[in-house]
């Protein structure tokens, strides 16, 4: 019995892995194991012999089982120790770069413009991008024969065969939204209308879809002076520095009188800077709303008058963030924009770029 004990304790202690341990377990204390067979022989013994050998065999069986369990735990510890030595992480390695999304410059600038005009009491109005020719042209004092209709490179939809109504158009400006607002709320009105507009034109400086924000203020005592103040206030807030404006007489069918507005800028090294220098940059059309347009919107021109203006958002974004090419807006690779110093790409919030 002592030989048996020494043999198995030695084998267990030398076992190389869990597989070897299991083989030893079967060999020693399994159903047909050496110790189990010995236990079966107890029946042939005298009661006196059995009283000595029985407990001794049981004790040996327990001892072997304990040794097996202890060795199993020791092997597992050693295996873990080995893994900890070989599988290690360098937590000081730099993190893998992640692709980052951000607000599109057009959305950002629209937000900035909206926030500035909101501070001056202007609400935002929106409307359909597919319009009737009445809202897009006639209501704005652009009749069917007017050259402005041809000049605008309008996208027309098709009517069904035999349907002779005039076709719908993709709006060429956001003015129709203002006509709809006049009809809906009447005067007084203070709104801006940002949104997508469409013209069939595509080259270095034109895309068939672009973005415009128009403004409209109608009340009983509105003048060009109010227009000039609002625009100067806007440009100074938008560019974060005082910006001089210059009004030049112009013509639009929907305003009378009409003015094109230039902002002060400098040209140095092919780079334009707003709010300094002695040059002028044309950025906007404006004027006093034509009486016929007020009438089309259901407002009495003898009681009310107002100013209106239209600015291109894409152009504003390019000026503020130094983006030299319109195609940047259609390029989803933001590294390109970052290269051109579009700083707000690195700012986490929508209004983070607002320099006020
Ligand atoms: C331009 C010209 C302009 C307007 C837009 C307008 C809207 C209504 C009535 C009168 Cl409902 N006017 N909008 C007025 C003047 C100019 O935009 O060249 N924008 C870049």
């Amino acid at each position: 019995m002592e030989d048996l004990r020494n043999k198995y304790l030695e084998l267990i202690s030398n076992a190389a892995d869990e597989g070897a341990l299991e083989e030893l377990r079967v060999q020693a204390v399994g159903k047909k194991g050496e110790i189990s067979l010995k236990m079966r022989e107890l029946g042939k013994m005298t009661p006196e012999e059995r009283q000595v050998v029985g407990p001794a065999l049981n004790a040996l069986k327990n001892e072997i089982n304990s040794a097996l369990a202890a060795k199993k735990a020791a092997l597992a510890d050693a295996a873990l120790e080995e893994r900890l030595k070989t599988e290690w992480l360098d937590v000081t390695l730099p993190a893998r770069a992640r692709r980052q999304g951000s607000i599109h410059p057009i959305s950002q600038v629209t937000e900035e413009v909206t926030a500035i005009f909101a501070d001056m009491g202007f609400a935002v109005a929106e409307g359909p991008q597919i319009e009737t020719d009445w809202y897009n042209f006639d209501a704005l004092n652009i009749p069917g024969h007017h050259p402005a209709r041809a000049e605008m490179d309008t996208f027309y939809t098709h009517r069904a065969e035999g349907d002779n109504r005039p076709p719908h158009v993709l709006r060429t400006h956001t003015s129709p939204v203002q006509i709809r607002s006049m009809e809906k709320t009447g005067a007084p009105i203070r709104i801006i209308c940002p949104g997508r507009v469409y013209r069939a034109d595509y080259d270095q400086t034109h895309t068939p879809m672009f973005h415009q924000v128009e403004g409209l203020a109608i009340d009983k005592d509105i003048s060009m002076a109010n227009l000039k103040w609002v625009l100067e206030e806007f440009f100074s807030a938008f560019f974060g520095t005082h910006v001089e404006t210059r009004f030049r007489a112009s013509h639009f069918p929907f305003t009378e009188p009409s003015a094109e507005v230039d902002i002060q800028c400098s040209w140095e090294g092919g780079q334009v800077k707003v709010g300094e220098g002695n040059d002028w940059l044309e950025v906007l059309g404006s004027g006093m709303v034509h009486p016929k347009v007020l009438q089309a919107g259901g407002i009495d021109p003898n009681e009310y008058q107002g100013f209106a203006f239209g600015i291109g958002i894409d152009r504003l974004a390019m000026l503020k963030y130094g983006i030299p090419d319109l195609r940047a807006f259609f390029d989803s690779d933001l590294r390109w924009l970052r290269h051109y110093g579009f700083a707000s790409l690195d700012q986490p919030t929508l209004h983070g770029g607002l320099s006020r």
Side-chain angles (χ1 to χ4, degrees), residues 140 173-179 182 199 212 214-216 252 254-255 258-260 282-290 293 307-312:
L140 287 153
H173 38 208
T174 59
S175 317
V177 181
Q178 294 171 306
I179 302 292
M182 289 187 221
R199 294 185 196 179
Q212 198 192 23
E214 288 204 12
L216 179 70
F252 302 108
F254 27 84
T255 45
S258 303
E260 278 172 316
E282 182 191 327
V283 286
L284 173 144
S286 66
M288 298 303 291
V289 180
H290 196 290
V293 176
F307 67 71
F309 60 86
I311 328 174

Side-chain angles (χ1 to χ4, degrees), residues 47-90:
E48 292 76 19
E49 275 179 315
R50 201 181 306 146
Q51 254 175 16
V52 179
V53 179
L57 278 174
N58 258 329
L60 179 57
K61 187 178 173 184
N62 288 339
E63 193 179 359
I64 286 175
N65 275 328
S66 300
L68 284 166
K71 182 67 181 179
K72 189 172 169 180
L75 283 173
D77 279 354
L80 180 61
E81 200 58 42
E82 192 57 31
R83 278 186 62 192
L84 287 172
K85 262 188 234 157
T86 54
E87 297 176 19
W88 59 282
L89 288 172
D90 183 353

Side-chain angles (χ1 to χ4, degrees), residues 154-212:
T154 312
F155 285 110
Y156 292 91
T157 62
H158 280 295
R159 285 287 187 194
E161 192 91 338
D163 186 340
N164 292 322
R165 290 174 299 169
H168 284 95
V169 302
L170 298 189
R171 68 182 184 195
T172 57
H173 38 208
T174 59
S175 317
V177 181
Q178 294 171 306
I179 302 292
R180 289 173 180 278
S181 292
M182 289 187 221
E183 287 179 334
K184 201 167 151 193
T185 69
I189 290 183
R190 255 191 285 180
I191 52 169
I192 56 162
C193 307
R196 295 180 168 170
V197 298
Y198 301 85
R199 294 185 196 179
D201 200 357
Y202 189 37
D203 59 35
Q204 287 257 303
T205 54
H206 297 89
T207 51
M209 185 279 290
F210 58 104
H211 304 79
Q212 198 192 23

